[in-house]
Amino acid sequence: KNDGWRWHLLTEDIEFSANSILEGIRIAYTPTAVLYDEQPVTFRDSWNQRFRWAKGFYQVFWHYGARLAKGVFTNPKGSRFVVFNAIIIVLAATGAMSTGVMIASSISSIFFCLFNYVMFMFLFGVLTTFVEWDSIHAPTRKKVLYMFTFPFFMLTYVPIALVALVKKCQWKPIK
């Protein structure tokens, strides 16, 4: 239909998905699909891979964001994820995602939000680890350790996302 693969941003899979949504093509979960992807083995390689993903997300947002946002009004069914993300942004900006009164300049509020995030990521990591226990090829002690380090690993996305705003990036294979 498209005369070959025409998506070439850093995250061509997200670009393809955004383009498909704009063309009204339904995207669905396929439980029998098997995915092979690169898995970095060092923190540096992981950082570089996630930096590329963040930069690629910004590229897709730049190229497709306005049309996706417009689609909320012209094709609400096809742009549910845009609506979902907009709701999350509004809830986060207003402080409604945290319990109680949140004062933006309050150090305690920042730590409260950070604590909630770490606890959520910990619970998410525990759930994922137990559900995928047999698929995780690591000794038991490492699986348990990873449940505790996962929230802090996820926090590294904050500096990665900030760096990706200003630093150039090229695709390089990971080891």
Side-chain angles (χ1 to χ4, degrees):
K1 178 183 175 185
N2 295 299
D3 296 322
W5 188 258
R6 61 181 178 110
W7 300 276
H8 300 286
L9 296 179
L10 285 171
T11 51
E12 78 287 343
D13 53 341
I14 298 173
E15 181 184 12
F16 171 74
S17 297
N19 187 78
S20 296
I21 290 167
L22 289 170
E23 290 183 4
I25 298 169
R26 185 171 180 264
I27 298 172
Y29 174 71
T30 305
T32 57
V34 177
L35 173 72
Y36 299 96
D37 64 341
E38 299 174 318
Q39 294 295 316
V41 295
T42 67
F43 184 77
R44 173 182 230 102
D45 285 339
S46 170
W47 178 285
N48 290 335
Q49 183 184 54
R50 293 179 297 138
F51 167 71
R52 184 184 39 155
W53 290 344
K55 189 69 170 187
F57 175 81
Y58 292 142
Q59 288 176 342
V60 171
F61 182 77
W62 179 257
H63 284 86
Y64 296 88
R67 288 185 287 158
L68 288 168
K70 182 181 174 186
V72 170
F73 303 103
T74 59
N75 182 12
K77 184 178 178 185
S79 299
R80 288 183 185 139
F81 85 95
V82 174
V83 174
F84 174 78
N85 283 307
I87 291 169
I88 295 299
I89 289 168
V90 168
L91 290 174
T94 61
M97 288 181 66
S98 61
T99 306
V101 177
M102 180 174 166
I103 301 170
S105 63
S106 169
I107 298 296
S108 63
S109 292
I110 293 169
F111 283 116
F112 181 73
C113 290
L114 190 60
F115 176 78
N116 282 339
Y117 174 82
V118 169
M119 290 308 298
F120 174 77
M121 284 290 121
F122 173 72
L123 293 173
F124 187 70
V126 169
L127 176 66
T128 303
T129 300
F130 284 116
V131 168
E132 299 293 330
W133 189 269
D134 293 334
S135 299
I136 302 171
H137 304 294
T140 299
R141 64 181 169 71
K142 283 196 173 186
K143 291 178 188 178
V144 172
L145 173 66
Y146 296 158
M147 286 188 282
F148 288 95
T149 58
F150 176 70
F152 302 103
F153 172 79
M154 291 304 292
L155 277 174
T156 62
Y157 264 110
V158 173
I160 289 170
L162 293 174
V163 170
L165 283 170
V166 295
K167 187 176 177 185
K168 291 187 178 188
C169 179
Q170 291 184 340
W171 185 89
K172 293 179 248 174
I174 60 170
K175 296 174 183 167

